[in-house]
Structures are given as structure tokens and as C-alpha cells.
Amino acid sequence: MDVTTWYLEQTSPSDLRPARPPRDDVDIVRAEIPSADFHRFLYSAVGGGWQWTDRRDWTDEQWLSWLGLGVETWVAYLRGTPAGYIALEPQGASVEIAYFGLMPFAIGKGLGGHLLHHGTAKAWTSAERVWVHTCSLDSPAARGNYEARGFRLYKTEVSKV
């Protein structure tokens, strides 16, 4: 099977475009305590349906090592329940949106654009460039959401899996 990966970027904070406000009240809170268990939960709950497998078997030490790179995780809560997250990984002058998505129950509620805007705005506080990649195995709405927030395509790769 062919998998297409799209790489998108913003090169200026002025590239960021807002999203419509979500229909429900959403709290977006930074997860300030590095926790392998919590990040494993977020990764599995959001990515389980989208074939996220690269970190499924990570040990606690691997999660904590990655978080120790200065990763910021912002979690969206809908009525007190985690609904999605965005993980920002600093890479020199750039910040990668390493992980972003919603839990299945939260899809279609207008939260994705709001969370992506919030996380990207946070990334711009310490970056000269913000980038992300998505692929044809991710949600069909993913690339459109990135482009609606002002991300521009800069590279496409096709690989066999």
C-alpha cells in the first residue's frame, strides 16, 4: 500500500489563522508534569484509530526522555474529560507539532481547529518556524485543518508500507 506524507509549515506568526470557536466550552491546559503514563494514554486514545504505532511500545524511560527535550503538551478538556491534545517539540529555531488530534468522541464537535490554533499560537512564542507532517493514514480532515490554520505544503513523500 502507498502512504503519502505531507509536510506543512508556517514561517511567520502572521501565517496563523483562527478557527471558529467550539460549540461547547473547552478548557485547554498544559500538562506540566512529565508523565509517561499520561502521554501513553493520550497517544493511544487519539492515535489508536489512525494507526499511530511508532511509539506504541515505548518504555517509560523513552517517553520521559522525549518529554525531557522540552516538549510542551496542551490537552483539551470537554466538561472535565480529556478530548484531545497537541504536543510541541522544540527543534532549534523550529517547533514541530509532533502529535495532534482528538479522541473519537470529540471528533465533529468543532474542537480540532480551536485546539490546533491554540497549540500553534503557543509554539510561536519560542519559534521562528512551526511545522507538522500528516499522512494518508491520518484523519481525512487533518490536512485541511492544518491548511485552514495557515500551514503551507512544502514537501510530499510517497512510500510503501
Side-chain angles (χ1 to χ4, degrees):
M1 167 174 51
D2 286 343
V3 174
T4 303
T5 302
W6 299 282
Y7 296 82
L8 302 104
E9 69 181 348
Q10 292 182 359
T11 55
S12 169
S14 65
D15 292 340
L16 180 57
R17 294 194 297 255
R20 288 187 306 239
R23 292 188 295 263
D24 296 310
D25 286 336
V26 175
D27 295 311
I28 301 175
V29 178
R30 182 173 177 195
E32 294 186 40
I33 299 170
S35 167
D37 290 330
F38 188 52
H39 282 81
R40 186 179 296 110
F41 160 73
L42 292 170
Y43 177 85
S44 297
V46 169
W50 303 113
Q51 309 206 17
W52 291 7
T53 59
D54 58 326
R55 298 184 182 188
R56 185 175 45 206
D57 297 326
W58 270 23
T59 65
D60 286 357
E61 292 75 22
Q62 288 171 299
W63 279 108
L64 294 173
S65 177
W66 178 67
L67 294 169
L69 298 174
V71 172
E72 280 188 26
T73 303
W74 294 87
V75 182
Y77 291 88
L78 182 61
R79 294 194 306 266
T81 302
Y85 79 115
I86 186 166
L88 309 173
E89 181 181 325
Q91 300 173 344
S94 294
V95 170
E96 177 187 5
I97 297 174
Y99 291 96
F100 165 73
L102 300 175
M103 295 181 190
F105 82 89
I107 294 171
K109 298 183 183 307
L111 305 178
H114 180 68
L115 177 58
L116 180 58
H117 180 270
H118 180 90
T120 305
K122 295 297 183 183
W124 275 116
T125 64
S126 63
E128 295 175 14
R129 174 181 173 257
V130 179
W131 73 279
V132 65
H133 72 276
T134 188
C135 76
S136 53
L137 297 175
D138 282 337
S139 166
R143 182 176 169 193
N145 190 12
Y146 293 125
E147 290 174 335
R149 302 292 72 75
F151 284 87
R152 292 176 308 281
L153 182 68
Y154 71 91
K155 181 169 79 170
T156 303
E157 294 178 340
V158 178
S159 59
K160 296 259 188 227
V161 283

